[in-house]
């Protein structure tokens, strides 16, 4: 027996970002015992990544704006969104934003309406700031509930499913020991998978583990190829979020020799200043707009020269003379980080940031597996090929509340549990072990696998993709898989690292295959060998385990 300890709870919440905090409080208020597990500490994940000034939430203006808002989403999703989820968000975000304070988040409304990233129409924007204060507020809120148990520095290895319903999970706790959790429901709030890329704007715990947990449990993954890449600052402070709106005051982007890297990529009839102006309206890269060449030029040069230190921005000094609150919040925050956009040498490069695709859910966060929910960036909810700015934080609140309410009703009619023997069986299955085995020191170490996957994904599955590059990447991933022993999860001193390596191998294969199958360019997905959007591929990519325990990929409306 590898598992010697069992704990019981009503609900297991995996992840402690904004969506996890929202749903945990909702369930605790309903009188349920909730165990929250997090790889790091309370209030973590992309919601609380420190090297950014703020997060924003855009809010539906009034009843008349609902149709307009939906059109904004529909236009930029390029047909990849879920209509019911989008409409639910639009209807409920005005109430949800008023509840930020209930979960310890301070949201300040901007003085004037403005257009969020990719949106054509201005709306109220609420800015979320000061992650340290929020964390303290959340800690105080949770301390009021005896029914909330928090396990930090803990990783979920696999879920236990009986007759189509989740009944528990296997964890690795802070002591590196396996723990069996018996519960009636599991809510996954693990975020995206930015950490699978070498350069990303996420903390290390945003590693796609929830996607593998959901897939193994019987859920479906949708639109995994639509990953957002945004410019991040490499110098003077690496991995700092870049405010794209400042490009309105940017004269050029140059290489180490001082030569412009975008002039040769400019479309006919578009000047450098016009391209910069378009690019200043959105953070993530998108094929949908002509500003795409700003990002493509950077990544193509990086691939060709294998230099990753970024490219220098030349700013107009008038950047610091604007009285716009949206600018001042960001620029003042940069000053606190010791960065001046005009006086310092500011270099940027494409960084992995957020995933638009994820676990397929309904309007209540249900995955189709009894008692299993997915919310936040982990889920494929409001958006499609592009994501409107300000919708991701709002979705955590809207669907976090909905999942909590639905789970409360589910628990009234369903009470399931799992045994330690079932937990042991699930663990061995995850490690691909069906009988007694002997641990071998041969093969790749987990940290080596993680680093090589990050390198492969960054060079072959970034902004610029091609059939040749993706097939090369798949061969490299398959070679790593054949030289990594999953059984090491049971025996190694760093079991958590071994689990991460196993998840990275499986997730990278999924991502590369979905990118390879979409032979077109659409939104966040750009294929250099198929540079146009095609009606033939206007369907969603879906990933699921088949009855033969192999992963299947298909397109479906």
């Amino acid at each position: 027996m590898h598992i010697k300890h069992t704990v019981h709870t009503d609900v297991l919440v995996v992840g402690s970002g904004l969506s996890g905090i929202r749903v945990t409080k909702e369930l605790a208020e309903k009188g349920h015992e909730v165990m929250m597990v997090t790889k790091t500490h309370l209030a973590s994940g992309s919601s609380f990544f420190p090297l950014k000034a703020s997060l924003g939430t855009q809010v539906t203006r009034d009843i008349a704006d609902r149709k307009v808002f939906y059109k904004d989403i529909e236009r930029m999703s390029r047909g990849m969104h879920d209509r019911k989820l989008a409409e639910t968000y639009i209807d409920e975000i005005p109430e949800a934003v008023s509840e930020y304070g209930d979960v310890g988040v301070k949201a300040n409304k901007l003085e004037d309406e403005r257009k969020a990233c990719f949106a054509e129409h201005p709306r109220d924007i609420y800015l979320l700031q000061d992650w340290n204060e929020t964390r303290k507020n959340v800690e105080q809120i949770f301390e009021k509930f005896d029914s909330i148990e928090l396990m930090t520095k803990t990783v979920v290895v696999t879920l236990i499913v009986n007759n189509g319903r989740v009944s528990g999970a296997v964890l690795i706790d802070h002591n590196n020991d396996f723990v069996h959790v018996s519960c009636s429901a599991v809510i996954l709030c693990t975020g995206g998978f930015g950490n699978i890329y070498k350069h990303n704007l996420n903390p290390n715990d945003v590693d796609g583990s929830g996607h593998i947990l959901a897939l193994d449990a019987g859920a479906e993954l949708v639109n995994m190829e639509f990953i957002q890449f945004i410019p991040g600052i490499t110098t003077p402070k690496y991995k700092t979020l870049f405010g794209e709106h400042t490009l309105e005051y940017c004269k050029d982007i140059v290489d180490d020799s001082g030569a412009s890297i975008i002039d040769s990529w400019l479309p006919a009839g578009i000047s450098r200043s016009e391209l910069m102006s378009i690019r200043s309206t959105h953070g993530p890269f998108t094929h949908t707009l002509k500003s795409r060449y700003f990002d493509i030029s950077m990544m193509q040069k990086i691939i060709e020269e294998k230099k990753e230190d970024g490219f220098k921005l030349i700013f107009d000094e008038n950047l610091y003379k604007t009285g716009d609150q949206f600018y001042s919040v960001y620029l003042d925050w940069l000053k606190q980080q010791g960065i001046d956009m005009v006086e310092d040498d500011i270099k940027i490069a494409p960084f992995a940031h957020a995933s638009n695709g994820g676990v397929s859910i309904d309007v209540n966060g249900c995955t189709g597996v009894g008692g299993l929910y997915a919310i936040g960036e982990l889920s494929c909810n409001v958006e499609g090929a592009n994501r409107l700015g300000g919708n991701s934080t709002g979705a955590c609140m809207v669907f976090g509340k909905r999942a909590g309410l639905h789970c409360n009703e589910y628990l009234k009619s369903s009470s399931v549990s799992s045994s330690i023997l079932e937990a042991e069986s699930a663990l061995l299955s995850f490690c691909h072990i069906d009988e007694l085995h002997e641990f071998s020191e041969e093969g790749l170490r987990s940290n080596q696998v993680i680093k090589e996957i990050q390198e492969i994904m960054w060079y072959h599955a970034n902004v610029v993709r091609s059939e040749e590059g993706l097939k090369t990447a798949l061969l490299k991933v398959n070679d790593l898989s054949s030289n990594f022993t999953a059984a090491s999860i049971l025996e190694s001193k760093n079991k958590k690292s071994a689990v991460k390596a196993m998840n990275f191998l499986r997730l990278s294969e999924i991502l590369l295959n979905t990118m390879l199958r979409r032979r077109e360019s659409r939104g966040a997905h750009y294929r250099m060998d198929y540079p146009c959007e095609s009606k033939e591929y206007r369907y969603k990519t879906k990933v699921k385990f088949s009855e033969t325990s192999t992963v299947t990929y298909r397109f479906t409306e």
Side-chain angles (χ1 to χ4, degrees):
M1 293 291 289
H2 298 278
I3 306 170
K4 298 181 175 64
H5 180 51
T6 295
V7 294
H8 299 270
T9 188
D10 295 332
V11 185
L12 175 66
V13 174
V14 188
S16 67
L18 187 56
S19 55
I21 291 166
R22 182 69 187 87
V23 75
T24 295
K25 184 173 183 290
E26 186 71 36
L27 287 166
E29 288 177 335
K30 295 290 189 293
H32 298 291
E33 291 185 353
V34 184
M35 174 179 286
M36 172 184 276
V37 299
T38 173
K39 298 186 187 78
T40 55
H41 47 68
L42 181 60
S44 61
S46 293
S47 302
F48 297 91
F49 182 59
L51 292 184
K52 59 190 172 195
S54 62
L55 286 171
T57 302
Q58 67 169 328
V59 180
T60 312
R61 299 174 70 182
D62 48 34
I63 293 177
D65 184 47
R66 292 180 181 180
K67 289 185 179 180
V68 179
F69 199 166
Y70 180 79
K71 286 294 183 182
D72 276 351
I73 293 174
E74 183 179 49
R75 176 181 57 85
M76 289 307 294
S77 81
R78 314 307 298 164
M80 297 293 108
H81 67 295
D82 184 292
R83 185 182 186 96
K84 289 184 179 179
L85 289 167
E87 289 177 338
T88 299
Y89 175 85
I90 290 167
D91 289 345
E92 298 182 10
I93 187 57
E95 179 181 352
V97 77
S98 69
E99 297 172 348
Y100 270 127
D102 296 340
V103 292
V105 178
K106 186 177 180 180
N108 298 314
K109 186 168 76 72
L110 288 179
E111 296 172 358
D112 300 312
E113 291 183 341
R114 67 178 298 114
K115 295 178 183 178
C117 169
F118 292 136
E120 284 192 347
H121 301 87
R123 296 181 177 89
D124 281 337
I125 303 291
Y126 286 78
L127 290 186
L128 283 56
Q129 299 170 256
D130 199 337
W131 319 128
N132 289 329
E133 180 184 352
T134 297
R135 183 174 293 112
K136 292 177 182 177
N137 293 341
V138 174
E139 289 172 352
Q140 292 174 359
I141 291 170
F142 276 23
E143 286 174 357
K144 297 176 182 178
F145 295 94
D146 294 333
S147 57
I148 298 177
E149 181 178 353
L150 178 66
M151 290 183 66
T152 60
K153 300 180 181 179
T154 298
V155 167
V156 180
V157 181
T158 191
L159 303 181
I160 304 166
V161 181
N162 287 317
N163 299 317
R165 296 186 176 190
V166 292
S167 57
V170 179
L171 322 178
I172 301 174
D173 67 10
H174 65 285
N175 292 318
N176 204 40
D177 293 330
F178 290 112
V179 177
H180 164 226
V181 176
S182 177
C183 59
S184 296
V186 175
I187 303 179
L188 300 175
C189 316
T190 54
F193 46 79
N195 195 242
I196 203 170
Y197 286 88
K198 182 178 182 181
H199 301 292
N200 63 83
L201 289 172
N202 303 112
N204 290 336
D205 57 336
V206 181
D207 58 10
S209 59
H211 297 78
I212 301 301
L213 290 172
L215 186 67
D216 285 355
E220 194 170 56
L221 304 180
V222 181
N223 291 342
M224 295 292 283
E225 63 270 36
F226 297 116
I227 306 163
Q228 289 187 339
F229 291 86
I230 64 176
I233 294 176
T234 60
T235 301
K237 191 168 185 177
Y238 176 70
K239 206 168 176 176
T240 301
L241 189 68
F242 173 68
E244 74 282 351
H245 48 297
T246 61
L247 290 175
E248 185 71 37
Y249 294 86
C250 186
K251 299 177 181 178
D252 202 356
I253 178 170
V254 301
D255 60 20
D256 289 341
S257 69
S260 174
I261 69 167
I262 60 172
D263 280 357
S264 61
W265 289 86
L266 290 174
I270 298 290
S271 67
R272 187 194 302 163
S273 61
E274 288 173 321
L275 185 138
M276 290 290 192
S277 182
I278 299 171
R279 190 61 185 83
S280 72
T281 65
H282 60 95
F285 160 78
T286 179
H287 169 267
T288 307
L289 303 175
K290 290 183 178 180
S291 54
R292 58 184 175 269
Y293 298 108
F294 180 87
D295 306 77
I296 292 172
S297 63
M298 282 194 290
M299 196 62 221
Q300 189 62 36
K301 198 167 184 66
I302 290 170
I303 293 171
E304 292 171 357
E305 299 183 359
K306 295 295 186 292
K307 291 181 65 176
E308 304 173 21
D309 57 345
F311 305 95
K312 184 178 177 181
L313 296 171
I314 310 298
F315 281 105
D316 188 314
E317 63 181 14
N318 286 323
L319 171 64
Y320 280 90
K321 296 178 181 180
T322 174
D324 192 314
Q325 183 186 6
F326 197 63
Y327 280 86
S328 62
V329 167
Y330 178 66
L331 295 175
D332 289 348
W333 174 78
L334 281 183
K335 286 283 189 179
Q336 295 172 12
Q337 311 301 313
I339 300 174
D340 186 296
M341 300 287 269
V342 174
E343 295 182 0
D344 296 332
D345 284 345
I346 306 296
K347 287 187 175 183
I348 63 171
F351 280 66
H353 184 231
S355 46
N356 291 356
V359 181
S360 180
I361 61 169
D362 67 10
V363 295
N364 295 309
C366 301
T367 64
V369 180
L372 180 62
Y373 301 80
I375 50 178
E377 189 185 335
L378 166 69
S379 67
C380 180
N381 51 59
V382 179
E383 309 299 349
N386 296 304
R387 172 186 289 175
L388 267 65
N391 286 2
S392 57
T393 52
C396 291
M397 297 295 289
V398 169
F399 298 107
K401 181 176 183 178
R402 279 183 155 265
L405 293 173
H406 188 279
C407 185
N408 175 57
E409 295 301 316
Y410 175 83
L411 292 171
K412 292 178 181 178
S413 59
S414 178
S415 178
V416 295
S417 60
S418 54
S419 68
I420 198 167
L421 291 177
E422 290 171 322
E424 182 79 9
S425 176
L427 175 60
L428 294 178
S429 177
F430 179 84
C431 298
H432 304 297
I433 299 171
D434 296 320
E435 54 189 29
L436 294 176
H437 68 282
E438 292 184 3
F439 177 63
S440 173
E441 291 293 340
E442 298 179 0
L444 296 172
R445 313 314 300 165
S446 56
N447 286 338
Q448 183 181 355
V449 170
I450 291 168
K451 288 181 179 179
E452 292 200 31
I453 289 290
Q454 290 172 325
E455 183 85 6
I456 291 168
M457 294 299 292
W458 202 75
Y459 271 105
H460 297 291
N462 201 300
V463 168
V464 177
R465 304 165 187 174
S466 67
E467 182 165 346
E468 179 183 2
L470 294 169
K471 285 184 175 180
T472 297
L474 275 169
L475 289 173
K476 292 181 178 181
V477 171
N478 290 335
D479 184 59
L480 289 173
S481 295
S482 64
N483 288 286
F484 179 71
T485 306
S488 64
I489 294 170
L490 302 177
E491 312 287 350
S492 68
K493 294 180 180 179
N494 193 345
K495 297 181 177 70
K496 295 173 185 176
S497 179
V499 170
K500 184 171 183 175
M502 185 70 174
N503 287 339
F504 267 24
L505 288 167
R506 297 175 62 193
L507 183 60
S508 60
E509 182 180 353
I510 289 170
L511 294 173
L512 292 167
N513 270 300
T514 56
M515 294 172 188
L516 192 59
R517 280 161 171 72
R518 186 169 290 282
R519 295 181 176 181
E520 65 160 357
S521 294
R522 185 184 295 262
H525 174 73
Y526 171 70
R527 284 283 297 265
M528 184 169 58
D529 45 353
Y530 295 97
C532 298
E533 189 174 301
S534 170
K535 291 182 179 179
E536 183 180 356
Y537 293 95
R538 67 182 184 275
Y539 306 111
K540 296 178 181 178
T541 315
K542 295 199 172 184
V543 183
K544 192 168 185 176
F545 269 127
S546 67
E547 293 180 358
T548 57
S549 297
T550 57
V551 178
T552 59
Y553 305 87
R554 68 186 191 280
F555 286 99
T556 182
E557 289 188 81

